[in-house]
Amino acid sequence: MRLFHAWLSSASRRVRLCLAEKNIAYESVAVDLSKQEQHAPEFLAMNPNGVVPALEIAPGRFLHESSTICEYLDDTVPEPPLRPADPYALAQMRNFVRWTDEKSLPHLLILNWSLMLQPTAQQWSDQELEDKLARIPTAERREAWVRIARKPYTEEEKAEALRKLLLLVERMEDMLGASEVPSTWLIGGAYSLADIAAAPFIARIAEIAPAALAETAHPRVHRWWQAIQQRPAFATARLQLFGEVLQERLRSTATPH
Ligand SMILES: N[C@@H](CCC(=O)N[C@@H](CS)C(=O)NCC(=O)O)C(=O)O
């Protein structure tokens, strides 16, 4: 298998976590989002949405959408199982994953892109921007790139994005307190793709708003975050700290070469 991904991308991190839990060997192919490698025709042939990740499961056979990829991996490599057997719990799991896709990712995008992509994108000429936009397959992402290149998100918009991202912590605290039998994990009393879906967002919140994960603020999410970081797969999946990567990039661009 070959995974086309970006180290800091939440959707890619999910798939890496899933691959690591299942101990699946794969070739890692890093896609540079700041160079729009995800919009190149070769990449669009793998994922027509022009976003990472894409997984090559056999020569020339590709999957996209992190949640779909994770379910495929759980179907084809059943051990350890990462979905509840009970259909009701499974439906809850899927709804939660979808909720994070719709309600968490767009807000994290605003915060991450402002840091990672804006410095490069705002230097493009109008012609460069136009050429790049022409290769982006979805209107939603074209708009996001226009914002980053020409109309940077304001401090108010970023604060609002963080406020909305933090709703995930509230939701998880409720979910973790709702089950009749207390469990560390979100759905059905066992570690699942729901926990994997949330992990990249909570990892980012741990960096930008750590107080939200304090024991005094959200004790159940606090325990969940401690527990997920103890899993061997967490280290294997390399959810490096954003700040560290940013510093590293700044150092390498500052060094003449
Ligand atoms: N729903 C998709 C979201 C994928 C996604 O948004 N990927 C982002 C990184 S987390 C990306 O490739 N962004 C680059 C772009 O939009 O140009 C999934 O879960 O796979």
Side-chain angles (χ1 to χ4, degrees):
M1 282 191 189
R2 282 201 296 169
L3 178 67
F4 296 81
H5 67 122
W7 288 106
L8 302 182
S9 131
S10 303
S12 304
R13 288 171 160 200
R14 281 179 176 177
V15 175
R16 295 206 305 271
L17 279 169
C18 187
L19 288 161
E21 285 291 341
K22 296 196 174 273
N23 213 1
I24 301 172
Y26 63 94
E27 187 186 330
S28 150
V29 185
V31 176
D32 190 336
L33 302 183
S34 69
K35 294 189 178 138
Q36 288 77 49
E37 289 176 355
Q38 70 279 21
H39 305 143
E42 313 83 82
F43 189 87
L44 295 178
M46 301 189 276
N47 180 349
N49 296 333
V51 290
V52 288
L55 183 69
E56 188 175 33
I57 52 166
R61 223 168 166 208
F62 300 98
L63 284 174
H64 62 275
E65 272 306 312
S66 58
S67 54
T68 309
I69 296 174
C70 289
E71 292 223 25
Y72 170 86
L73 292 173
D74 202 39
D75 277 331
T76 51
V77 182
E79 291 300 326
L82 292 175
R83 286 172 300 180
D86 170 56
Y88 179 68
L90 179 61
Q92 283 182 314
M93 186 206 88
R94 289 190 172 130
N95 272 351
F96 174 74
V97 174
R98 177 185 279 207
W99 189 89
T100 62
D101 286 344
E102 290 172 0
K103 309 275 188 217
S104 304
L105 185 65
H107 306 302
L108 186 55
L109 181 151
I110 290 174
L111 299 168
N112 284 352
W113 285 31
S114 298
L115 275 174
M116 301 296 293
L117 302 175
Q118 188 177 309
T120 317
Q122 64 188 5
Q123 291 176 20
W124 297 333
S125 67
D126 288 347
Q127 187 57 56
E128 279 173 312
L129 177 59
E130 205 177 300
D131 293 346
K132 289 173 196 295
L133 292 176
R135 302 192 326 160
I136 300 177
T138 64
E140 174 222 338
R141 291 301 165 97
R142 273 196 298 278
E143 171 59 22
W145 278 102
V146 169
R147 287 298 314 257
I148 277 304
R150 287 295 180 270
K151 292 183 273 176
Y153 294 103
T154 64
E155 291 310 313
E156 289 72 30
E157 283 176 306
K158 286 189 242 175
E160 183 61 4
L162 178 59
R163 191 189 68 73
K164 290 184 173 157
L165 180 64
L166 289 175
L167 295 177
L168 172 64
V169 183
E170 299 296 335
R171 176 143 192 206
M172 288 172 62
E173 189 71 13
D174 289 347
M175 287 166 72
L176 291 166
S179 64
E180 283 156 26
V181 186
S183 166
T184 311
W185 308 116
L186 289 169
I187 304 270
Y191 186 72
S192 77
L193 296 182
D195 301 289
I196 285 181
F201 300 111
I202 298 296
R204 198 65 189 107
I205 288 170
E207 295 177 289
I208 55 182
L213 305 183
E215 192 163 14
T216 42
H218 296 102
R220 292 186 281 261
V221 179
H222 175 83
R223 275 197 299 281
W224 177 94
W225 176 230
Q226 300 303 315
I228 200 166
Q229 291 177 91
Q230 301 300 314
R231 299 182 75 85
F234 194 88
T236 311
R238 293 182 58 195
L239 274 70
Q240 297 123 304
L241 292 179
F242 235 79
E244 277 176 20
V245 176
L246 265 179
Q247 286 302 322
E248 184 50 45
R249 283 197 190 169
L250 285 176
R251 267 198 298 277
S252 64
T253 48
T255 313
H257 48 251

